[in-house]
Amino acid sequence: MDDHVTAKPASQDGAYRVLARKYRPKTFEDLVGQEPMVQTLENAFETGRIAQAWMLTGVRGVGKTTTARILARGLNYEVPGLADKPTVKLSQEGTHCKAIMEGRHVDVIEMDAASHTGIGDIREIIDAARYRPATARYKVYIIDEVHMLSNAAFNGLLKTLEEPPEHVKFIFATTEIRKVPITVLSRCQRFDLRRIEQSKLIGLLRRISDAEDIRISDEALMLIARAGEGSARDSLSLLDQAMAHGAGRIEVEDLRQMLGLADRARVIDLFGHLMAGRIEEALGELQGQYEVGADPAVVLTDLADFTHLVTRMKVAPKSADEASVTEAERGRGREFAEKLSVRLLSRAWQILLKGVQEVHASSKPLAAADMVLVRLAYAADLPDPGELMEQVRNGRNPFGGGGVPSGGGGAPSGGGTQAMAVGMPRSSGSSGSGPTMRSGARPQLSAIQGGMPNERAAPQMAPEPEIAAEPAHNLRSLHDCAALASENRDIPMKVAIQRQMRLVKFEPGKIEIQPTEDAPPDIAGELGRKLMEWTGQRWFVVVSRTQGRPTIHEEQEANQQQLLSDAKSHPTVAALLSQFPGARVVDVKVQVTDEDEAALADPLLNDPLLNEALGNDEDD
């Protein structure tokens, strides 16, 4: 865009022209944020190293088509008596400049590949490329959205693109560079047009609003630049809409309503409520922002942006001095950066990032956003895995009475979070299953030392005494795991345990296995998840490189083969087989008598050492 924008008439016929067209760049100097590309083209033109094709790629609205026209103008720049060669210094309007910029020059052909996708359209270009330009120096073909061409069209273009006539140049533009065949990319010089920085975008919007005599504050321009996401065209379209909405004067509140944005200060307040565990106040704040027109998805996006800003301030304090950061964000962001740990901020970022997708996909955005805030507020009080392991190593129960209650929430010296016993009792009969909130319990933030400013410490209730309960399932072997899978009617897991796992080591809460060759890659993790679901306890199932014992199925097969071998060698069976040629032993079933069942049921009667001490002889 122009550095010095002047007010221009709407058009010769009096029709209104949108700002994106009215202030469209006409020279390389007018392009905002594309200095590396301009420098490359300038050096190429000065040395005569002009390529036969260029590929312009980037997100929407960064100026790909405009750059293509300016490049075509530079290739055909001609001022009688002053300039007669390609250049990037387009100081004054040349012979062909106006027609090229308006898209009506006979030798600069623009084609939309979205509506001309076939080989027939490319064949017309190939046939016409043999003829010299009518008036200009080069015949330039500008193909927009080139990734929309069919495979046959791309293949038909390859030969001409590699060895075009000297008077032909190609300029391609696309937003989907990955869909362009590599055979085409290798024949072009590629330029990636970057998103425009917010500071430059704000300056561009300020110059255009001044030229249009529109009164608008810097904060409103910042909101438009943020919503434009680095796209000049999107930002100018929003400015156009704001001008129509405000009738010559653009107020921040009106702009927020138009864009469906929340007040930035209110977003910061919402962030403070969440990080302090004040879920009731957080839900009320979201409801208030929704009632004044804020989109729940936009509110969560703003929360994620502020979380990102606080994280950057913590790891790179100089980022607070950027021009796009408001004074409120700078002051309160530094306050949060001092009190919150990177682990907590990273966890909040992940929850918000997933939450934005859930709100977009939900038929009830406000309800979905409420659930995301509840999840975030309660997660702010949870310890991270490192702290859990440290508490376990120190012999403390991280979710039981070993937690340290705190009136206002005290942070460890490392800046992490500490699990609270208050409001987070263990569920009975499920040790190690993680914290569960009681009805009406409120999360208490311990990541911020002393809580938020002007926050009184809430009275703490004494932790309820816990009653030790026997585990519902006492697993001691893979046989027990297979039986538990059978009880829960999970036949695929039972088969996997019996046929695809070789046991290396079995301990309470930890199982080491060696999977078979046909086992799925995630069999260990799947078994751990199933056992946790069935028992309510955390089981670590790890894959070991140590050779394990045979699988349950292999042991059963070996036992069956041994029974068959013993049966065949029995004199009675051998006599029967000799009397009936062709007969064979198919299966052996062992019948268990009542005495055997009693022996199996009583481990003392089945103990050989005890039997020897009592004088019991096996032959008896």
Side-chain angles (χ1 to χ4, degrees):
M1 291 296 176
D2 300 68
D3 292 331
H4 304 285
V5 179
T6 57
K8 304 175 184 179
S11 65
Q12 294 180 354
D13 57 0
Y16 179 72
R17 297 179 65 192
V18 296
L19 297 179
R21 293 185 58 194
K22 186 176 180 180
Y23 296 98
R24 198 169 196 169
K26 295 184 177 180
T27 65
F28 286 102
E29 289 78 7
D30 297 340
L31 292 174
V32 177
Q34 312 302 338
E35 290 79 8
M37 179 195 66
V38 175
Q39 183 64 42
T40 302
L41 290 176
E42 182 178 1
N43 295 337
F45 284 178
E46 289 181 356
T47 58
R49 298 178 179 273
I50 303 175
Q52 77 270 15
W54 293 270
M55 180 70 69
L56 307 179
T57 179
V59 298
R60 83 270 178 230
V62 294
K64 297 183 294 297
T65 305
T66 300
T67 302
R69 289 184 180 180
I70 296 175
L71 181 54
R73 179 187 174 188
L75 288 170
N76 290 315
Y77 188 66
E78 181 180 348
V79 178
L82 293 178
D84 192 20
K85 66 176 183 178
T87 180
V88 297
K89 298 178 180 179
L90 312 175
S91 55
Q92 65 183 80
E93 190 174 275
T95 305
H96 310 284
C97 293
K98 185 176 181 180
I100 292 176
M101 296 308 297
E102 293 179 355
R104 55 181 178 81
H105 197 284
V106 67
D107 292 323
V108 179
I109 301 95
E110 295 190 26
M111 188 184 83
D112 180 19
S115 55
H116 300 80
T117 62
I119 182 62
D121 302 299
I122 297 300
R123 189 177 292 115
E124 292 180 5
I125 294 178
I126 296 173
D127 293 339
R130 295 179 297 177
Y131 303 100
R132 298 191 62 83
T135 59
R137 182 180 301 111
Y138 292 105
K139 181 176 287 188
V140 182
Y141 290 95
I142 300 175
I143 303 180
D144 200 6
E145 301 299 336
V146 69
H147 65 275
M148 300 292 288
L149 291 178
S150 64
N151 291 332
F154 274 124
N155 294 332
L157 186 62
L158 287 180
K159 189 60 178 178
T160 304
L161 184 61
E162 184 174 13
E163 298 179 0
E166 294 181 358
H167 57 270
V168 173
K169 302 295 181 183
F170 290 95
I171 306 176
F172 303 125
T174 179
T175 54
E176 300 286 346
I177 190 64
R178 295 182 179 180
K179 295 183 180 180
V180 180
I182 190 63
T183 51
V184 174
L185 289 176
S186 63
R187 290 165 168 84
C188 305
Q189 283 190 3
R190 173 176 168 177
F191 291 110
D192 291 87
L193 276 64
R194 302 179 298 178
R195 293 180 184 269
I196 304 175
E197 298 177 4
Q198 282 197 7
S199 57
K200 295 182 179 179
L201 204 50
I202 292 172
L204 171 66
L205 295 174
R206 169 58 65 188
R207 292 192 296 270
I208 293 179
S209 58
D210 291 342
E212 293 289 326
D213 195 21
I214 298 298
R215 287 177 292 177
I216 182 172
S217 64
D218 292 337
E219 185 178 359
L221 291 177
M222 190 177 300
L223 291 178
I224 294 176
R226 282 177 175 170
E229 298 180 344
S231 169
R233 185 177 62 211
D234 290 1
S235 301
L236 290 178
S237 297
L238 291 174
L239 180 60
D240 229 337
Q241 183 179 352
M243 289 168 56
H245 182 78
R249 183 183 181 88
I250 302 176
E251 301 291 345
V252 175
E253 293 301 326
D254 295 338
L255 187 60
R256 286 197 180 99
Q257 278 192 341
M258 185 193 79
L259 298 176
L261 299 178
D263 188 346
R264 205 68 178 176
R266 297 188 67 175
V267 171
I268 299 176
D269 292 339
L270 178 58
F271 181 84
H273 291 321
L274 292 171
M275 293 297 102
R278 299 190 296 267
I279 185 59
E280 185 176 348
E281 290 84 347
L283 294 179
E285 178 63 33
L286 176 61
Q287 180 67 32
Q289 296 185 26
Y290 179 76
E291 290 175 355
V292 297
D295 185 357
V298 175
V299 174
L300 293 187
T301 302
D302 289 344
L303 277 174
D305 291 341
F306 186 71
T307 303
H308 170 252
L309 176 63
V310 174
T311 308
R312 289 193 62 190
M313 288 183 178
K314 189 170 186 68
V315 300
K318 291 184 179 180
S319 60
D321 300 329
E322 295 178 357
S324 59
V325 180
T326 64
E327 191 61 34
E329 292 174 332
R330 186 177 294 109
R332 300 192 65 184
R334 284 172 174 165
E335 180 183 352
F336 285 120
E338 293 175 358
K339 296 179 178 180
L340 298 176
S341 67
V342 175
R343 292 175 179 176
L344 178 62
L345 292 170
S346 177
R347 183 162 53 195
W349 166 263
Q350 294 174 354
I351 293 175
L352 288 169
L353 205 62
K354 190 175 187 303
V356 171
Q357 299 176 358
E358 294 176 357
V359 172
H360 281 301
S362 175
S363 59
K364 296 182 178 180
L366 181 60
D370 282 342
M371 298 305 296
V372 174
L373 296 189
V374 172
R375 190 188 316 159
L376 181 59
Y378 278 79
D381 196 42
L382 294 178
D384 56 65
E387 292 171 354
L388 286 176
M389 295 301 297
E390 183 66 25
Q391 293 180 35
V392 171
R393 282 195 293 267
N394 293 336
R396 290 185 296 161
N397 185 353
F399 300 123
V404 182
S406 173
S413 59
T417 57
Q418 177 71 30
M420 306 287 291
V422 178
M424 298 174 61
R426 265 186 321 180
S427 58
S428 60
S430 59
S431 61
S433 62
T436 57
M437 291 292 182
R438 292 198 308 269
S439 174
R442 292 167 60 95
Q444 304 292 332
L445 178 69
S446 56
I448 298 182
Q449 181 69 29
M452 295 301 300
N454 302 324
E455 179 186 4
R456 296 183 179 180
Q460 300 294 322
M461 300 175 61
E464 295 181 356
E466 298 181 2
I467 301 175
E470 292 294 330
H473 303 279
N474 189 12
L475 305 181
R476 297 182 179 180
S477 65
L478 285 183
H479 292 273
D480 296 339
C481 297
L484 184 59
S486 180
E487 291 178 11
N488 288 272
R489 300 181 182 275
D490 194 336
I491 303 305
M493 178 53 66
K494 176 184 178 182
V495 174
I497 295 174
Q498 293 178 338
R499 295 176 178 266
Q500 298 176 335
M501 299 183 189
R502 295 188 174 96
L503 181 63
V504 177
K505 189 176 183 182
F506 197 103
E507 297 177 353
K510 183 179 180 181
I511 306 174
E512 294 184 21
I513 62 171
Q514 181 193 26
T516 60
E517 295 181 356
D518 60 336
D522 61 338
I523 188 172
E526 184 66 20
L527 177 60
R529 287 189 292 270
K530 292 289 186 180
L531 291 179
M532 182 176 179
E533 177 184 344
W534 296 333
T535 65
Q537 302 176 4
R538 184 176 295 277
W539 285 82
F540 294 95
V541 182
V542 297
V543 176
S544 175
R545 295 184 178 180
T546 306
Q547 180 64 38
R549 294 197 291 266
T551 65
I552 296 177
H553 181 69
E554 290 172 346
E555 290 179 349
Q556 293 174 347
E557 291 288 333
N559 293 337
Q560 189 67 14
Q561 292 297 327
Q562 184 64 38
L563 289 175
L564 289 173
S565 177
D566 294 343
K568 292 177 182 179
S569 61
H570 195 278
T572 303
V573 176
L576 288 174
L577 293 177
S578 62
Q579 293 295 326
F580 298 94
R584 58 190 180 91
V585 180
V586 177
D587 193 10
V588 177
K589 294 183 178 180
V590 180
Q591 293 184 350
V592 181
T593 64
D594 296 339
E595 292 78 4
D596 293 333
E597 290 182 353
L600 292 174
D602 191 347
L604 295 178
L605 297 178
N606 205 26
D607 191 342
L609 296 178
L610 181 60
N611 289 331
E612 182 179 354
L614 295 175
N616 296 334
D617 194 353
E618 294 181 357
D619 295 334
D620 295 338

